[in-house]
Amino acid sequence: MDDIITARPSWHTYFMGIAELVSTRATCVRRRVGAVLVKDKRILCSGYNGAPTGIAHCDQTGCLRAKLNVPSGEKHELCRGVHAEQNAIIQAACHGISVQGATLYCTHQPCSICSKMIINAGIVMVYYRHGYNDAMSLEMFNQAGIELVQLSTN
């Protein structure tokens, strides 16, 4: 009986923990990111960052951004990876799952590219654990009325 967990995690702890587990599948050599889309306390879809299906991953080819010394948050087009948030939205679309009104739990604050997708997908709330230096993303979320909440790292 010593193995029984006595306290249930909060919903935020639960969903962020799942996002962190999802991030372990990431193949980016710079940052492992996981995302989970949730609605009515139910998981809709998840995603992690990595190259598109059938394409060699950065952990196999090396990171072009690192080779070119591209700072974090700049020139996203030089990355072969699809971001975790993008993959979660894409997976939902592939399976006919509406994310309108959903909440996103993500290990990292979304970048400006992902924020545009999140806004247009109708996601209404974003929880994240680790910050990311992207002022444009914050500005767009603010203008769209999407609340962005950083959860503690425990």
Side-chain angles (χ1 to χ4, degrees):
M1 291 302 250
D2 292 338
D3 294 348
I4 296 175
I5 298 172
T6 58
R8 292 175 69 189
S10 70
W11 286 111
H12 293 314
T13 299
Y14 175 72
F15 291 126
M16 188 58 73
I18 293 171
E20 289 171 349
L21 180 62
V22 169
S23 77
T24 65
R25 291 279 308 150
T27 58
C28 177
V29 297
R30 279 186 147 187
R31 179 177 290 113
R32 290 176 171 248
V33 181
V36 177
L37 286 167
V38 175
K39 189 170 184 180
D40 300 325
K41 298 180 182 171
R42 302 287 183 253
I43 296 171
L44 302 175
C45 232
S46 65
Y48 53 87
N49 56 329
T53 303
I55 305 297
H57 291 279
C58 297
D59 61 359
Q60 299 165 326
T61 64
C63 178
L64 177 61
R65 293 169 53 84
K67 289 175 189 170
L68 298 175
N69 293 315
V70 176
S72 181
E74 295 181 16
K75 299 185 179 182
H76 293 286
E77 71 278 6
L78 295 178
C79 178
R80 66 190 298 114
V82 180
H83 291 188
E85 306 93 318
Q86 296 168 346
N87 270 325
I89 293 168
I90 291 165
Q91 286 303 308
C94 286
H95 296 285
I97 301 168
S98 173
V99 298
Q100 185 80 34
T103 296
L104 174 71
Y105 285 85
C106 195
T107 57
H108 293 72
Q109 176 192 319
C111 72
S112 56
I113 293 172
C114 290
S115 66
K116 293 180 234 180
M117 290 183 70
I118 290 164
I119 292 164
N120 279 357
I123 295 165
V124 296
M125 184 85 182
V126 176
Y127 292 98
Y128 68 97
R129 171 99 355 115
H130 305 287
Y132 187 69
N133 187 20
D134 192 331
M136 181 184 283
S137 174
L138 298 175
E139 180 182 332
M140 285 192 290
F141 279 131
N142 185 49
Q143 287 180 14
I146 296 175
E147 192 173 357
L148 194 62
V149 177
Q150 185 172 16
L151 298 177
S152 68
T153 55
N154 293 344

